[in-house]
Amino acid sequence: MRIFDTVGMPNPLRVRIALAEKGLAERVEFVQVDLAAAEHKQPAFLAMNPEGTVPVLELSDGTYISEVAAIVEYFDGLDGNRTLTGESPKERAVIHMMHKRAEREVLYAMGNYFHYGTPGGSPTLETYKAPHWAGRKEWGALERERGINGMRYFDSVLRKQPYVAGELFSLADISLIGGLMFAKISNAEIPAELESLTAWHMRMLERPSVKHPA
Ligand SMILES: N[C@@H](CCC(=O)N[C@@H](CS)C(=O)NCC(=O)O)C(=O)O
């Protein structure tokens, strides 16, 4: 299996954390994609993933799987022990819901802030991100606010339970970790009063799969 990936970016990191959690790093070869040069917006890459984003998983039969959640779902099912995406219908549904909230309210919000409200990745990459749109900076700033509100929501969740989806670490935690990484590279730190979110984040940063992702 191959993963088209860019080291240091939050979405590929989510898959690398999942691989470390599952002990599957050895089964995967990583192929680096140059985001700064917009390699992922060229026809050869778009044929694998029309969204033009990393990561993309290539299976040995030529199937391409994009979307972090779909890739994690695949790896989590390989050993018949779904530790990241849940076993029972209820576990699977709650993890899916909380993962979507983390993705939408923090990761995508802060990702939009990064691309539209800050200088972003590189001038070449940002050419693909509507550079001439007059309202881009204002929208980026609104997305930052949305991301901070998302942090407030997760602080309230983590006041009551140890992990984002309940009692166990899951894909939902991985997605929130990715969101906070986007916040960090955009200089949108967690507000100091969000103590439960901050404590959870410190704990996550010490977790072996997060400290040493694949
Ligand atoms: N929905 C996608 C998002 C992937 C994504 O946005 N990846 C970023 C890297 S962190 C990317 O490729 N950005 C380049 C761009 O948007 O042009 C997923 O879950 O895999």
Side-chain angles (χ1 to χ4, degrees):
M1 290 182 280
R2 298 201 298 173
I3 294 182
F4 294 85
D5 162 283
T6 305
V7 169
M9 290 306 284
N11 283 293
L13 176 70
R14 288 198 282 160
V15 167
R16 286 173 175 269
I17 292 172
L19 284 169
E21 287 284 336
K22 300 295 290 184
L24 288 172
E26 301 300 317
R27 293 194 36 197
V28 171
E29 178 195 339
F30 288 97
V31 180
Q32 288 308 299
V33 177
D34 190 347
L35 290 193
E39 196 183 337
H40 58 306
K41 301 300 183 193
Q42 307 313 316
F45 191 93
L46 294 174
M48 297 190 292
N49 175 13
E51 190 187 52
T53 55
V54 289
V56 178
L57 169 65
E58 182 188 31
L59 302 183
S60 52
D61 69 357
T63 303
Y64 291 110
I65 301 177
S66 60
E67 294 299 322
V68 169
I71 297 171
V72 173
E73 179 78 39
Y74 177 79
F75 287 129
D76 204 24
L78 286 182
D79 60 1
N81 181 24
R82 292 186 178 276
T83 50
L84 297 177
T85 54
E87 292 283 4
S88 72
K90 180 180 155 185
E91 275 169 16
R92 293 180 66 74
V94 171
I95 290 170
H96 187 109
M97 173 181 76
M98 296 307 280
H99 145 74
K100 289 290 279 185
R101 287 181 186 168
E103 208 174 48
R104 199 178 52 230
E105 304 303 330
V106 180
L107 193 149
Y108 289 169
M110 287 300 177
N112 287 333
Y113 174 54
F114 173 71
H115 285 295
Y116 296 91
T118 80
S122 78
T124 308
L125 170 59
E126 300 311 325
T127 307
Y128 291 86
K129 301 279 181 196
H132 306 301
W133 174 34
R136 72 196 299 276
K137 282 251 174 256
E138 288 75 9
W139 187 66
L142 287 173
E143 285 293 275
R144 181 185 185 283
E145 271 317 295
R146 200 164 69 79
I148 299 287
N149 280 336
M151 290 181 191
R152 289 201 179 95
Y153 165 70
F154 283 105
D155 184 69
S156 73
V157 168
L158 292 161
R159 234 175 274 152
K160 296 179 230 129
Q161 59 194 42
Y163 296 98
V164 172
E167 297 301 314
L168 297 174
F169 181 84
S170 74
L171 170 63
D173 296 280
I174 295 177
S175 294
L176 189 55
I177 292 165
L180 294 181
M181 185 180 172
F182 250 129
K184 189 172 173 54
I185 63 176
S186 309
N187 291 321
E189 299 289 349
I190 304 173
E193 71 272 19
L194 303 186
E195 290 176 6
S196 300
L197 179 63
T198 302
W200 166 89
H201 194 215
M202 305 288 277
R203 212 156 32 88
M204 292 301 104
L205 294 177
E206 288 303 316
R207 197 173 168 93
S209 63
V210 180
K211 244 179 149 168
H212 305 289

